[in-house]
Amino acid sequence: MTFYGNFTSILLSTLRDVTPILILIVCFQLLVLRQPIPHLRRLIVGGVYVVIGLALFLVGLEKALFPLGKTMAAQLSDPAFIAGSAVNLTEAEWTDYGWILLFAAMIGFSTTIAEPSLIAVAIKANEVSAGTIGRWGLRITVAIGVAFGISLGTFRIITGTPLYLYILAGYVIVIIQTFFAPKKIIPLAYDSGGVTTSTVTVPLVAALGLGLSSTVPARNPALDGFGLIAFASVFPIMTVMAYAQIVQWRTTRRRDAAKED
């Protein structure tokens, strides 16, 4: 199928998916609220931009992001790259996959920094906190959590250990942190874990997991290729609450030092 034919198909599919949302909003506005739709012309133009933008984004995923993530993972975990072309690698230690672990951490950090949903949350958090929560501070803290989570998830795929052990341990730590973290930061921390798994992060991370599990010996893409998104969700919660706890501890320490002086 040509590019234009593929784009037309995705555009029609996107329009079909967005139509129920538009019908719901229009019905509530006209039948429940019984108010005219404000700025109708602007909303129509914006809706057209949304549909076209989503279609272009989906084409980009199919043509670039999915193949790129899968290809990079396959190349970095290729036995020929790890042990040399003359070696038939049937089993390897996790330490042999250092480059793929580093790549996973870096792809997790960079995609999270560019995540539009996280940018939106950081802007709103900065506004409602009167500048106390910095935009870049929150984005970098969340990105560090995602980087660590994706790297750990990659380690899980390489070693073949059960997914539930990591997720259970992660949420146990989150629950413990919840009791000690500043109360004002807890809702934002939990939301930060959700907004990371969105338009930019998910395609590359999913492709990374599938590409890696199809290359590592004795791994099944259907069983081991998925689960990285769960790591990208839970670990940012930890880092945001940990960051708030460190800030609170430093503030208390400075206050106590000032009283002593």
Side-chain angles (χ1 to χ4, degrees):
M1 184 180 292
T2 63
F3 170 79
Y4 293 104
N6 189 29
F7 175 73
T8 302
S9 176
I10 293 178
L11 180 63
L12 293 175
S13 177
T14 304
L15 183 61
R16 180 197 61 197
D17 295 336
V18 172
T19 298
I21 303 175
L22 297 176
I23 294 175
L24 177 66
I25 294 174
V26 171
C27 288
F28 262 80
Q29 184 70 24
L30 298 180
L31 302 179
V32 179
L33 297 176
R34 296 183 180 180
Q35 297 290 331
I37 299 176
H39 311 293
L40 181 59
R41 182 179 178 183
R42 186 187 304 173
L43 289 176
I44 293 174
V45 174
V48 172
Y49 287 162
V50 167
V51 172
I52 295 175
L54 284 174
L56 289 171
F57 177 74
L58 292 174
V59 172
L61 291 184
E62 181 181 338
K63 299 295 184 182
L65 290 185
F66 272 123
L68 176 63
K70 192 171 183 178
T71 301
M72 288 294 296
Q75 290 176 342
L76 289 171
S77 57
D78 188 359
F81 174 76
I82 296 173
S85 58
V87 179
N88 183 17
L89 187 66
T90 58
E91 186 175 354
E93 297 293 332
W94 69 269
T95 51
D96 297 327
Y97 292 89
W99 283 113
I100 192 66
L101 293 172
L102 178 61
F103 175 74
M106 295 180 68
I107 204 69
F109 184 90
S110 58
T111 54
T112 305
I113 286 293
E115 191 63 66
S117 55
L118 177 60
I119 295 174
V121 169
I123 291 173
K124 292 301 179 182
N126 180 264
E127 291 177 357
V128 300
S129 66
T132 304
I133 301 175
R135 299 180 184 180
W136 276 103
L138 179 62
R139 290 170 64 185
I140 290 175
T141 302
V142 173
I144 291 173
V146 175
F148 181 79
I150 298 300
S151 183
L152 185 61
T154 302
F155 170 81
R156 182 201 71 83
I157 295 176
I158 294 171
T159 57
T161 47
L163 173 64
Y164 69 88
L165 295 177
Y166 295 89
I167 301 303
L168 283 175
Y171 277 107
V172 167
I173 296 174
V174 167
I175 291 172
I176 294 173
Q177 281 185 292
T178 303
F179 288 101
F180 298 98
K183 302 305 177 185
K184 294 181 179 180
I185 204 67
I186 292 174
L188 178 60
Y190 277 80
D191 280 350
S192 299
V195 297
T196 56
T197 53
S198 188
T199 53
V200 178
T201 307
V202 170
L204 277 172
V205 170
L208 171 66
L210 293 172
L212 180 62
S213 59
S214 62
T215 309
V216 176
R219 297 294 170 265
N220 185 347
L223 298 176
D224 303 304
F226 297 96
L228 286 180
I229 306 302
F231 286 87
S233 298
V234 64
F235 281 91
I237 305 175
M238 296 184 197
T239 54
V240 172
M241 287 198 288
Y243 174 74
Q245 288 173 288
I246 292 172
V247 171
Q248 185 182 49
W249 174 75
R250 292 179 62 183
T251 302
T252 303
R253 187 177 178 183
R254 290 175 182 174
R255 188 183 302 116
D256 293 341
K259 290 180 179 179
E260 292 178 0
D261 293 341

